[in-house]
């Protein structure tokens, strides 16, 4: 499903060259829940951005559902993202000027889903995330936990094959964080592949497998039964 081979990412300026990823080889199967851990600056978010087709590697190959995507143009990467990948971020990344309903609807607008179908899909996922009663509220009227539920609803409304979560509980207290992890677990049990960057050993404990990075390399992989 997802396979990277000898993946490198180098960021260059006029004076400095920084190696963010240094020969990453990972393989992720459909239905897995994988946590990526490591100290700040080890390449976790860089790897997640490449896996999410938001960025391209400097070197190496990346096979995404059988397609080689490492050197694709941004337009082609965007086409592969649509309907295949949902994103959940630490900072929620909701649009303040849009209601809950409108925020969740956005991916479907980009996919040109007809209005009647959009309404059904959005209402169904808001019910699933227990946030339907807030459909006409704006993000700033919600608690952090509610905002993250909206962000997860937006990530899954198009029924993507993969959800990429970057520190999804980082801005939440422990109770709301646990609620988010339980939601991600339920989505995984329903068949969605989850790839999550986290600093939290507690959150990583929900995953089937933990990939540990250090200095842009995979140093260990731990499996949970």
């Amino acid at each position: 499903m997802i396979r990277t081979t000898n993946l490198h990412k180098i960021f260059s300026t006029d004076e400095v060259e920084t190696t963010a990823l240094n020969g990453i080889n990972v393989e992720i199967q459909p239905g897995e829940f994988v946590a990526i851990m490591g100290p700040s600056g080890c390449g976790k978010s860089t790897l997640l951005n490449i896996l999410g087709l938001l960025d391209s590697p400097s070197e190496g190959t990346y096979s995404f559902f059988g397609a080689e995507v490492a050197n694709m143009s941004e337009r082609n990467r965007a086409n592969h993202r649509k309907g295949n990948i949902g994103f959940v971020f630490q900072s929620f990344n909701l649009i303040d000027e849009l209601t809950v309903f409108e925020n969740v609807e956005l991916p479907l607008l980009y996919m040109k889903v007809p209005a009647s179908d959009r309404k059904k899909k959005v209402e169904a996922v808001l019910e699933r995330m227990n946030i339907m009663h807030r459909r006409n509220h704006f993000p700033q009227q919600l608690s952090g936990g509610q905002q993250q539920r909206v962000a997860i609803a937006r990530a899954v409304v198009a029924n993507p094959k993969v959800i990429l979560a970057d520190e999804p509980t980082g801005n939440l207290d422990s109770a709301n964080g646990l609620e988010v992890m339980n939601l991600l677990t339920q989505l995984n049990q329903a068949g969605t592949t989850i790839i999550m960057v986290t600093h939290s050993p507690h959150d990583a404990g929900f995953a089937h497998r933990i990939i540990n990075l250090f200095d842009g390399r995979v140093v260990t992989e731990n499996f949970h039964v």
Side-chain angles (χ1 to χ4, degrees), residues 15-77:
E15 300 174 354
V16 180
E17 191 173 88
T18 303
T19 299
L21 299 177
N22 190 7
I24 297 286
N25 298 296
V26 297
E27 190 166 340
I28 296 169
Q29 301 298 329
E32 273 200 282
F33 189 154
V34 177
I36 300 172
M37 298 191 75
S40 295
C42 72
K44 300 185 301 295
S45 292
T46 300
L47 177 58
L48 202 69
N49 286 339
I50 291 174
L51 295 180
L53 304 176
L54 297 173
D55 199 1
S56 294
S58 304
E59 183 183 326
T61 64
Y62 174 21
S63 175
F64 182 77
F65 289 95
E68 177 50 48
V69 296
N71 298 309
M72 277 187 173
S73 66
E74 165 55 25
R75 175 176 290 183
N76 286 334
R77 291 203 313 270

Side-chain angles (χ1 to χ4, degrees), residues 1-2 28-32 64-65 80-86 155-156 158-164 187-188 191-195:
M1 175 182 173
I2 286 177
I28 296 169
Q29 301 298 329
E32 273 200 282
F64 182 77
F65 289 95
H80 272 75
R81 284 196 302 269
K82 285 180 189 174
N84 286 318
I85 302 175
V156 303
N159 196 28
K161 298 179 179 71
V162 184
I163 290 178
L164 301 181
L187 291 167
N188 177 247
T192 305
T193 303
I194 311 283
I195 305 171

Side-chain angles (χ1 to χ4, degrees), residues 143-159:
S143 69
Q146 289 171 331
Q147 288 188 60
Q148 194 61 299
R149 266 190 277 160
V150 174
I152 292 172
R154 181 185 57 191
V156 303
V157 70
N159 196 28

Side-chain angles (χ1 to χ4, degrees), residues 87-92 94 100 103-104 122 125-134 142-157 163 168-169 172 175-184 186-187:
F87 295 92
V88 179
F89 301 97
Q90 176 178 345
S91 56
F92 318 134
L94 301 175
V100 165
N103 266 283
V104 175
V122 174
V125 78
L126 290 178
E127 289 282 8
R128 187 177 177 188
M129 296 297 148
N130 195 27
I131 200 78
M132 184 67 167
H133 61 295
R134 297 288 196 176
L142 307 178
S143 69
Q146 289 171 331
Q147 288 188 60
Q148 194 61 299
R149 266 190 277 160
V150 174
I152 292 172
R154 181 185 57 191
V156 303
V157 70
I163 290 178
T169 68
L172 303 176
N176 281 305
L178 179 59
E179 183 178 309
V180 164
M181 291 310 304
N182 285 332
L183 283 172
L184 291 175
Q186 290 166 19
L187 291 167

Side-chain angles (χ1 to χ4, degrees), residues 33 177-178 181-182 185 188 196 201-208 224:
F33 189 154
L178 179 59
M181 291 310 304
N182 285 332
T185 299
N188 177 247
M196 175 182 68
H202 173 267
D203 290 357
F206 287 81
H208 304 149
H224 289 174

